[in-house]
């Protein structure tokens, strides 16, 4: 997948993309992320990307011409008709469902909004989607664009190593995570649940699913309402928390 990020702060965006899983995914060409400096598409001496608003008032407005030139350039270069996404607090709230949908696309252009906003014609003539990452106002669209890029990158096949692969199960991601523990087995009197030490793989899976279902239902009833329970889930959620069996684990892998 190719993701183009159009921004007036290319260094900020680029530096955030050079760590950990995203860095590795880029190095392995699992995702082609390009950071595009909007100023490269200006034509004046001062490389102007914003101007004062018609009608007066404070703040600056992002100009349409450099944005239009940048988008035209990227479209021609890639020979695709990508979705063009503007980051804006008025946009549709970004969620995992949208992440899955966009992650399956060939090419996406993210346009980082700034200042008081963009010229309304960018919205009406150029972009296909407007996305918000939450009900709060940030100083610019760079962090939202990075949030979207991160969520799409980790969904690219092979982006998460084998260890992280179970977390990639799209079905499991519509629920909240189950509790995780690592060594030590006891810390200041707080022990790791016996189930996780018992070695019964199938039982552990059941325990984790039980916690995912319960935690989602109590913490995020909105997510839970949208989640389609399997027959097994329905049985599991009405049962008590699964307890560790007292016998030895099976020797064969389950
Ligand atoms: N720009 C400023 N705040 C934003 C937000 N919450 N989501 C997307 N873009 C933004």
């Amino acid at each position: 997948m190719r993701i183009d990020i159009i921004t007036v702060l290319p260094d900020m965006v680029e530096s955030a993309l050079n760590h950990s899983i995203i860095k590795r995914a880029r190095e392995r060409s699992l995702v082609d992320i390009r950071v595009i400096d909007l100023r490269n598409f200006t034509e004046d001496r001062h490389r102007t990307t914003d101007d004062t608003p018609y009608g007066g008032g404070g703040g600056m407005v992002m100009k349409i011409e450099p944005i239009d030139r940048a988008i035209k350039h990227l479209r021609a270069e890639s020979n695709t008709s990508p979705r063009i996404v503007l980051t804006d607090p008025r946009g549709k709230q970004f969620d995992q469902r949208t992440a899955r949908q966009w992650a399956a696309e060939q090419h996406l252009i993210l346009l980082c909004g700034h200042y008081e906003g963009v010229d309304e014609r960018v919205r009406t003539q150029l972009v296909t989607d407007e996305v918000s990452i939450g009900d709060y106002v940030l100083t610019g669209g760079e962090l939202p664009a990075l949030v979207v890029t991160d969520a799409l990158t980790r969904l690219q096949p092979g982006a998460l190593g084998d260890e992280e692969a179970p977390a990639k199960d799209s079905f499991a991601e519509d629920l909240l995570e189950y509790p995780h523990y690592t060594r030590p087995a006891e810390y200041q009197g707080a022990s790791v649940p016996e189930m996780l030490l018992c070695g019964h793989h199938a039982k552990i899976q059941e325990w984790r699913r039980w916690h995912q279902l319960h935690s989602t239902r109590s913490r995020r009833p909105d997510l839970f309402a949208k989640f389609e329970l399997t027959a097994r889930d329905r049985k599991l959620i009405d049962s008590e928390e699964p307890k560790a069996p007292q016998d030895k684990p099976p020797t064969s892998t389950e």
Side-chain angles (χ1 to χ4, degrees), residues 37-136:
D37 186 349
L38 184 61
R39 291 188 204 283
N40 291 343
F41 295 89
T42 56
E43 291 184 340
D44 64 312
R45 202 157 54 89
H46 299 290
R47 309 180 86 204
T48 313
T49 56
D50 60 335
D51 205 342
T52 52
Y54 275 118
M60 298 295 273
V61 177
M62 281 177 94
K63 291 165 69 60
I64 190 168
E65 301 103 308
I67 296 173
D68 190 27
R69 278 186 218 113
I71 291 171
K72 284 202 172 94
H73 170 82
L74 296 171
R75 274 189 147 145
E77 190 185 62
S78 70
N79 201 18
T80 59
S81 295
R83 198 183 280 278
I84 299 163
V85 181
L86 172 68
T87 56
D88 190 293
R90 287 173 291 179
K92 182 171 170 272
Q93 169 113 25
F94 187 64
D95 60 15
Q96 192 63 23
R97 189 172 298 190
T98 309
R100 276 202 295 273
Q101 191 188 337
W102 291 359
E105 294 181 7
Q106 218 191 332
H107 186 196
L108 187 92
I109 297 178
L110 287 165
L111 172 62
C112 304
H114 248 275
Y115 316 112
E116 293 309 301
V118 297
D119 185 305
E120 190 64 15
R121 291 163 293 186
V122 169
R123 240 178 251 292
T124 57
Q125 312 296 312
L126 303 183
V127 310
T128 59
D129 299 81
E130 293 174 47
V131 76
S132 164
I133 60 157
D135 288 336
Y136 37 81

Side-chain angles (χ1 to χ4, degrees), residues 1-3 29-33 101-108 152-153 156:
M1 174 182 202
R2 173 167 166 180
I3 303 173
S29 302
L30 303 176
V31 65
D32 177 9
I33 305 174
Q101 191 188 337
W102 291 359
E105 294 181 7
Q106 218 191 332
H107 186 196
L108 187 92
L152 304 192
T153 300
Q156 298 306 308

